Amino acid sequence: MADNNQSFFRRVPVSKPYLVTRNQALRLSPSNFTQFMKSSTVYGVVIDMPMSPTVITTMACYVNGAANLYFSNGADYSGAAQRYPGVVQAARLFVNNAARYVTPENKVNTFELPNSRNHFAYILTTKGVHRLEINPLRGQQTPEERVFLTLYQRIMGELRNAQMKDVANGNSPDALIVPNA
């Protein structure tokens, strides 16, 4: 099994625009979302997903239904929530369910990028940031992690559908869901 991960055990090259955008997504103020926060202190989830040894995709989802993708090469796919209610619904469901994964043990102060195939999910709360590390390989998660993974895979599916509709409508997005390296 270690051989399958071998190509992932090094840092993926990332562009400066990607780092700036990712940092902004991770540090967005909760005051932007107070009208959407009912009982939970969670206002967003930012997930870093290695897609290949040369590409990391970061998905930023917020309680207002926004869901954007940022790619390590500097490209992005954003604004789909303004056009597609399915994206909004999936993002809200995901962010609202993220509170169950917040524990004192997973609170963090740094925002490393993954250097293996595992995904890093940063749960943004009004009381700090919490990180989950999820193995995306089928059957490698706890039941709770599997639910979490399924919820954000649903958002990826909604974003993929939105992108296909954009292309069909002549609004060609700048980036593909899985961009070329």
Side-chain angles (χ1 to χ4, degrees):
M1 178 81 102
D3 290 337
N4 291 342
N5 283 327
Q6 193 63 30
S7 61
F8 281 94
F9 286 119
R10 60 177 165 33
R11 293 282 175 208
V12 173
V14 297
S15 69
K16 184 171 182 169
Y18 166 77
L19 290 175
V20 169
T21 305
R22 178 182 177 270
N23 187 49
Q24 290 171 339
L26 285 162
R27 297 183 188 281
L28 206 55
S29 172
S31 65
N32 293 310
F33 304 101
T34 51
Q35 73 221 42
F36 298 98
M37 297 169 63
K38 304 293 183 227
S39 59
S40 175
T41 62
V42 175
Y43 64 93
V45 182
V46 176
I47 304 161
D48 297 320
M49 301 171 280
M51 302 303 256
S52 76
T54 60
V55 177
I56 292 179
T57 299
T58 296
M59 181 170 63
C61 303
Y62 299 99
V63 71
N64 66 347
N68 300 314
L69 296 172
Y70 310 111
F71 304 100
S72 56
N73 65 4
D76 70 81
Y77 181 64
S78 55
Q82 296 171 3
R83 297 181 301 280
Y84 303 105
V87 172
V88 173
Q89 185 180 38
R92 283 183 177 165
L93 177 67
F94 176 56
V95 173
N96 286 325
N97 276 286
R100 68 172 52 161
Y101 300 93
V102 172
T103 66
E105 298 80 32
N106 64 13
K107 190 168 185 181
V108 295
N109 294 315
T110 60
F111 305 122
E112 295 91 17
L113 283 166
N115 63 353
S116 69
R117 74 175 64 242
N118 288 352
H119 297 181
F120 286 0
Y122 293 96
I123 302 170
L124 313 177
T125 77
T126 57
K127 297 179 177 160
V129 178
H130 300 260
R131 185 179 84 196
L132 295 177
E133 187 170 343
I134 309 247
N135 185 330
L137 296 178
R138 186 176 196 99
Q140 299 296 311
Q141 311 89 17
T142 66
E144 294 81 17
E145 291 171 340
R146 198 169 310 119
V147 169
F148 191 81
L149 180 67
T150 299
L151 287 170
Y152 71 80
Q153 287 175 333
R154 179 174 171 217
I155 299 166
M156 288 294 285
E158 289 292 340
L159 288 169
R160 180 69 183 132
N161 288 339
Q163 184 185 49
M164 291 186 327
K165 289 175 185 174
D166 283 346
V167 170
N169 291 329
N171 302 323
S172 184
D174 292 337
L176 301 174
I177 294 295
V178 180
N180 296 326

